[in-house]
Amino acid sequence: VLDAKQIKRFAAEFDPQPFHLDDAAAAASLFDGLAASGWHTAALTMRMLVESVPLADGLVGAELQLAWPKPTRPGMTLQVFGEVVEIKPSRSKPDMAIVTMRNETRDQDGDVLQVFTVKMPVFKRMRAHN
Amino acid sequence: VLDAKQIKRFAAEFDPQPFHLDDAAAAASLFDGLAASGWHTAALTMRMLVESVPLADGLVGAELQLAWPKPTRPGMTLQVFGEVVEIKPSRSKPDMAIVTMRNETRDQDGDVLQVFTVKMPVFKRMRAHN
């Protein structure tokens, strides 16, 4: 469960805006209450993806799109739901493909906090020849 | 200046993949040496934007695109160069516009590490009426 202390600690280091740092300022802002930095939501999502997506060479994003339809709040439990949208063999590199993955980060009620689409280079397994 | 310790500390919390955590594993990876998590580059960029872009209501991203053309390495000094690409008045909300900003995060030699395009809702100043 994400708590206010974690939200404020991340914001103090990377996104020090009042609505991510201070409860009263956040209540008066367009967020209408303390909200995590979107980069915090993205980083927490990455953590979950690293722990769950089995790509042997790792998860490396070449380019991506990101949207935050709803604020991430203290007390929320985040989950990620991902799907592979496309696997496109590289024209120039025969051992490589570009995998497009679409991920939704949702809260405990299923509300979507972040939509994240990423293109990742993926390499074919090496094979022994004889 | 970004150092290896900061890179590994961020990665341990949010992106625990060998090429962000361990020098030897990083040297053997496609990064060919320790590289910061792209999310770390993005978070450091946000810090610089918050400190330099004068939007009264804060920097709030509605949707964005992100690419990392080159890895961020220990020893680099990051800088951000931003430009406003478009200011589009909202059709539904007369006091609002959508500002599109394109930002490049570059190292000390001017090489581009991150390209980040973001659409931000911006509100007109309130005025007193009489």
Side-chain angles (χ1 to χ4, degrees), chain B residues 34-59:
Chain B
L34 191 71
S37 169
W39 302 107
H40 195 183
T41 304
L44 291 166
T45 299
M46 187 64 191
R47 172 90 204 194
M48 290 186 277
L49 290 172
V50 168
E51 286 168 352
S52 59
V53 179
L55 285 178
D57 301 299
L59 298 176

Short mmCIF file of all heavy atoms in Angstrom, two decimals, chain B residues 34-59:
data_model
loop_
_atom_site.label_atom_id
_atom_site.label_comp_id
_atom_site.label_asym_id
_atom_site.label_seq_id
_atom_site.Cartn_x
_atom_site.Cartn_y
_atom_site.Cartn_z
N LEU B 34 27.47 0.53 -17.00
CA LEU B 34 26.36 0.94 -16.13
C LEU B 34 25.56 2.08 -16.75
O LEU B 34 26.12 3.07 -17.21
CB LEU B 34 26.91 1.39 -14.76
CG LEU B 34 25.85 1.57 -13.67
CD1 LEU B 34 25.27 0.22 -13.22
CD2 LEU B 34 26.41 2.31 -12.46
N ALA B 35 24.24 1.90 -16.76
CA ALA B 35 23.33 2.91 -17.31
C ALA B 35 22.23 3.18 -16.30
O ALA B 35 21.76 2.26 -15.62
CB ALA B 35 22.72 2.41 -18.62
N ALA B 36 21.83 4.41 -16.19
CA ALA B 36 20.72 4.76 -15.30
C ALA B 36 19.40 4.24 -15.88
O ALA B 36 19.23 4.18 -17.10
CB ALA B 36 20.63 6.27 -15.13
N SER B 37 18.49 3.87 -15.04
CA SER B 37 17.12 3.59 -15.48
C SER B 37 16.59 4.80 -16.22
O SER B 37 16.81 5.95 -15.80
CB SER B 37 16.24 3.31 -14.25
OG SER B 37 14.87 3.30 -14.63
N GLY B 38 15.90 4.56 -17.32
CA GLY B 38 15.28 5.68 -18.04
C GLY B 38 14.35 6.48 -17.14
O GLY B 38 14.21 7.70 -17.29
N TRP B 39 13.74 5.81 -16.17
CA TRP B 39 12.83 6.50 -15.24
C TRP B 39 13.60 7.43 -14.32
O TRP B 39 13.05 8.42 -13.83
CB TRP B 39 12.02 5.47 -14.45
CG TRP B 39 11.25 4.60 -15.37
CD1 TRP B 39 11.49 3.29 -15.68
CD2 TRP B 39 10.12 4.98 -16.18
NE1 TRP B 39 10.59 2.84 -16.61
CE2 TRP B 39 9.73 3.85 -16.93
CE3 TRP B 39 9.40 6.17 -16.33
CZ2 TRP B 39 8.67 3.87 -17.83
CZ3 TRP B 39 8.34 6.19 -17.22
CH2 TRP B 39 7.98 5.06 -17.96
N HIS B 40 14.85 7.08 -14.06
CA HIS B 40 15.70 7.96 -13.27
C HIS B 40 16.02 9.22 -14.08
O HIS B 40 15.90 10.35 -13.57
CB HIS B 40 16.97 7.20 -12.87
CG HIS B 40 17.77 7.85 -11.78
ND1 HIS B 40 18.97 7.34 -11.35
CD2 HIS B 40 17.55 8.97 -11.05
CE1 HIS B 40 19.45 8.12 -10.39
NE2 HIS B 40 18.61 9.11 -10.19
N THR B 41 16.37 9.04 -15.34
CA THR B 41 16.60 10.20 -16.23
C THR B 41 15.35 11.07 -16.29
O THR B 41 15.43 12.31 -16.20
CB THR B 41 16.98 9.72 -17.64
OG1 THR B 41 18.12 8.87 -17.54
CG2 THR B 41 17.29 10.89 -18.56
N ALA B 42 14.20 10.42 -16.41
CA ALA B 42 12.94 11.18 -16.49
C ALA B 42 12.67 11.94 -15.19
O ALA B 42 12.25 13.11 -15.22
CB ALA B 42 11.78 10.22 -16.79
N ALA B 43 12.94 11.30 -14.05
CA ALA B 43 12.67 11.94 -12.76
C ALA B 43 13.63 13.12 -12.53
O ALA B 43 13.23 14.18 -12.04
CB ALA B 43 12.79 10.91 -11.64
N LEU B 44 14.89 12.94 -12.91
CA LEU B 44 15.87 14.03 -12.78
C LEU B 44 15.50 15.20 -13.70
O LEU B 44 15.67 16.37 -13.36
CB LEU B 44 17.28 13.52 -13.10
CG LEU B 44 17.87 12.54 -12.08
CD1 LEU B 44 19.10 11.84 -12.67
CD2 LEU B 44 18.23 13.25 -10.78
N THR B 45 14.99 14.86 -14.88
CA THR B 45 14.53 15.89 -15.81
C THR B 45 13.36 16.67 -15.21
O THR B 45 13.31 17.91 -15.29
CB THR B 45 14.13 15.24 -17.15
OG1 THR B 45 15.28 14.59 -17.70
CG2 THR B 45 13.59 16.28 -18.13
N MET B 46 12.44 15.94 -14.59
CA MET B 46 11.29 16.61 -13.96
C MET B 46 11.76 17.58 -12.90
O MET B 46 11.25 18.72 -12.82
CB MET B 46 10.35 15.56 -13.35
CG MET B 46 9.05 16.15 -12.84
SD MET B 46 8.05 16.87 -14.20
CE MET B 46 6.79 17.75 -13.27
N ARG B 47 12.72 17.15 -12.09
CA ARG B 47 13.27 18.03 -11.06
C ARG B 47 13.77 19.36 -11.67
O ARG B 47 13.47 20.45 -11.18
CB ARG B 47 14.44 17.31 -10.37
CG ARG B 47 15.24 18.13 -9.42
CD ARG B 47 14.68 18.06 -8.02
NE ARG B 47 15.04 19.20 -7.23
CZ ARG B 47 14.91 19.25 -5.90
NH1 ARG B 47 14.43 18.20 -5.24
NH2 ARG B 47 15.23 20.31 -5.23
N MET B 48 14.50 19.24 -12.78
CA MET B 48 15.02 20.44 -13.43
C MET B 48 13.90 21.30 -14.01
O MET B 48 13.94 22.53 -13.94
CB MET B 48 16.04 20.06 -14.50
CG MET B 48 17.33 19.51 -13.92
SD MET B 48 18.62 19.21 -15.17
CE MET B 48 18.11 17.58 -15.76
N LEU B 49 12.88 20.65 -14.57
CA LEU B 49 11.76 21.40 -15.13
C LEU B 49 10.99 22.15 -14.04
O LEU B 49 10.62 23.31 -14.20
CB LEU B 49 10.81 20.47 -15.89
CG LEU B 49 11.37 19.91 -17.20
CD1 LEU B 49 10.41 18.85 -17.77
CD2 LEU B 49 11.58 21.01 -18.23
N VAL B 50 10.76 21.46 -12.91
CA VAL B 50 10.04 22.10 -11.81
C VAL B 50 10.80 23.34 -11.32
O VAL B 50 10.21 24.36 -10.98
CB VAL B 50 9.82 21.10 -10.65
CG1 VAL B 50 9.35 21.81 -9.38
CG2 VAL B 50 8.83 20.02 -11.05
N GLU B 51 12.11 23.25 -11.33
CA GLU B 51 12.94 24.36 -10.86
C GLU B 51 13.05 25.51 -11.87
O GLU B 51 13.52 26.58 -11.53
CB GLU B 51 14.35 23.85 -10.51
CG GLU B 51 14.36 23.05 -9.21
CD GLU B 51 15.66 22.28 -8.98
OE1 GLU B 51 16.50 22.23 -9.91
OE2 GLU B 51 15.81 21.72 -7.89
N SER B 52 12.64 25.27 -13.12
CA SER B 52 12.91 26.29 -14.13
C SER B 52 11.72 26.76 -14.97
O SER B 52 11.79 27.82 -15.57
CB SER B 52 14.03 25.81 -15.06
OG SER B 52 13.65 24.61 -15.68
N VAL B 53 10.66 25.98 -15.04
CA VAL B 53 9.54 26.39 -15.90
C VAL B 53 8.50 27.13 -15.05
O VAL B 53 7.95 26.57 -14.11
CB VAL B 53 8.89 25.18 -16.59
CG1 VAL B 53 7.71 25.62 -17.46
CG2 VAL B 53 9.91 24.44 -17.44
N PRO B 54 8.24 28.40 -15.36
CA PRO B 54 7.39 29.22 -14.49
C PRO B 54 5.90 29.13 -14.83
O PRO B 54 5.31 30.08 -15.32
CB PRO B 54 7.93 30.63 -14.75
CG PRO B 54 8.38 30.59 -16.18
CD PRO B 54 8.80 29.17 -16.47
N LEU B 55 5.28 28.00 -14.56
CA LEU B 55 3.83 27.91 -14.70
C LEU B 55 3.22 28.01 -13.31
O LEU B 55 3.52 27.20 -12.42
CB LEU B 55 3.43 26.59 -15.37
CG LEU B 55 3.68 26.50 -16.87
CD1 LEU B 55 3.27 25.13 -17.40
CD2 LEU B 55 2.89 27.58 -17.62
N ALA B 56 2.33 29.01 -13.15
CA ALA B 56 1.83 29.34 -11.81
C ALA B 56 1.12 28.19 -11.13
O ALA B 56 1.24 27.99 -9.92
CB ALA B 56 0.91 30.55 -11.90
N ASP B 57 0.37 27.40 -11.90
CA ASP B 57 -0.40 26.32 -11.27
C ASP B 57 0.37 25.02 -11.22
O ASP B 57 -0.16 23.99 -10.80
CB ASP B 57 -1.71 26.10 -12.04
CG ASP B 57 -2.55 27.37 -12.05
OD1 ASP B 57 -2.93 27.81 -10.96
OD2 ASP B 57 -2.81 27.90 -13.14
N GLY B 58 1.62 25.06 -11.65
CA GLY B 58 2.43 23.85 -11.57
C GLY B 58 2.49 23.13 -12.90
O GLY B 58 1.76 23.43 -13.84
N LEU B 59 3.38 22.18 -12.94
CA LEU B 59 3.57 21.37 -14.14
C LEU B 59 2.82 20.06 -13.95
O LEU B 59 3.22 19.22 -13.15
CB LEU B 59 5.06 21.08 -14.33
CG LEU B 59 5.96 22.29 -14.54
CD1 LEU B 59 7.41 21.85 -14.62
CD2 LEU B 59 5.55 23.01 -15.82
#
